[in-house]
Amino acid sequence: MDKLFRHLRDYHPLTPQAEQALADEFEEITLGKNEFLLQEGKTCRHLYFLEQGAIRGYYNLEEKEITHWFAFENDFVTSFHSFITQEPSVENIQLLEGSVLRKISKEKLTALFNRFHEIERLVRIAYEKYYIRLEERYVNSQFRSASERYENLLEHTPHIIERVPLGQISSYLGISQETLSRIRAKT
Amino acid sequence: MDKLFRHLRDYHPLTPQAEQALADEFEEITLGKNEFLLQEGKTCRHLYFLEQGAIRGYYNLEEKEITHWFAFENDFVTSFHSFITQEPSVENIQLLEGSVLRKISKEKLTALFNRFHEIERLVRIAYEKYYIRLEERYVNSQFRSASERYENLLEHTPHIIERVPLGQISSYLGISQETLSRIRAKT
DNA sequence: GGTTTTTTTTGACAAAGGTCAAAAAGGGAT
DNA sequence: ATCCCTTTTTGACCTTTGTCAAAAAAAACC
């Protein structure tokens, strides 16, 4: 649980009462490689915190799996669209490695917002960070060439290369696997 | 001011006290076509609400202007990265038409968060909506062909076509202007 | 250690989209 | 209407990336 709270403090420091209330609600779960946290068509009712392990989010488009994000230690994980709207998810969330997570349901989180302004503030601040991250990925994906995107990955998130098969990285970068392989051969 | 509050209520209803506090801080401004709300290198200190008009955000990449978003009536406008981090902006925000806006400074907004939990909640909910929007744009931009992206624009945001020159639309879609022109010729 | 199975690389070719240059079409002003 | 200036379209060609198929390499299994 420590890992979670150390991470939360980076967003916004909490009073002991608020920390305790969160500690009461965040439940630990352990899942094995290739298991699913969520499958398309199901509504995502939880927010997860990934303490240890690696996870990907992907969806199926024309027979292909498109991986659009990865998560590692200290990342929050959910199908954001489904979690927020409480509509069925179009994406799947699958473990790349055996992982240790903490989870909290949307209802419990919402109830905590009502009890603790500071918890809602923490989430507001976390959203800001995640928004900025996504914005950077967006600009990077749309206006850079395939090899620039790969170099950017090497520079900013090299751990992805170590822990994820190439086919998933290529779809994450929006490149065919063959092209990515050729880009790598050149460097 | 009505327009702003009608819009805010769609996110989250506010008490009269909170509305009044916001009304006291949101200042009206009017700017003409081609004027700048923000230029790169400057830090964005305000959040704007666009009551009437049209605005674009763009940055310069290798001699070219890359337009990466448009805003119209009832949109919030800011250089999100700069506003949140209070670091110098890499983007420019320019009016496409003469526009009427409301603005509030970051300090004043933060002060309101402290006074009114409900205002911070409203912003938290607004972030969720904007995050989902960006996520959709991201997936759409990265995994669809040029003509699919254009068709998607026609279907979901046709007003852009009416109010924005083609060169800016093409860069928004991540296509060269010539290719966009050819796509249009076909349909 | 040898055999499957999966992942990555390579080759040949095709398709999508970009670039450069020039022509055409619009939009104001006078 | 005419001139000037901006925006859009068209043509020829080039570059990047994708696709299909097969080989090579790596990993997992017995």
Side-chain angles (χ1 to χ4, degrees), chain B residues 8-33:
Chain B
L8 292 182
R9 274 177 218 125
D10 286 345
Y11 288 116
H12 181 65
L14 294 176
T15 59
Q17 295 87 319
E19 284 208 356
Q20 188 53 52
L22 274 171
D24 291 344
E25 304 293 12
F26 261 104
E27 182 189 337
E28 180 175 324
I29 56 171
T30 304
L31 288 171
K33 181 168 174 167

Side-chain angles (χ1 to χ4, degrees), chain A residues 95-112:
Chain A
L95 299 232
L96 292 169
E97 307 170 357
S99 302
V100 181
L101 300 111
R102 309 245 158 215
K103 71 172 187 178
I104 185 172
S105 72
K106 187 174 165 90
E107 298 83 61
K108 284 186 175 162
L109 185 61
T110 307
L112 286 177

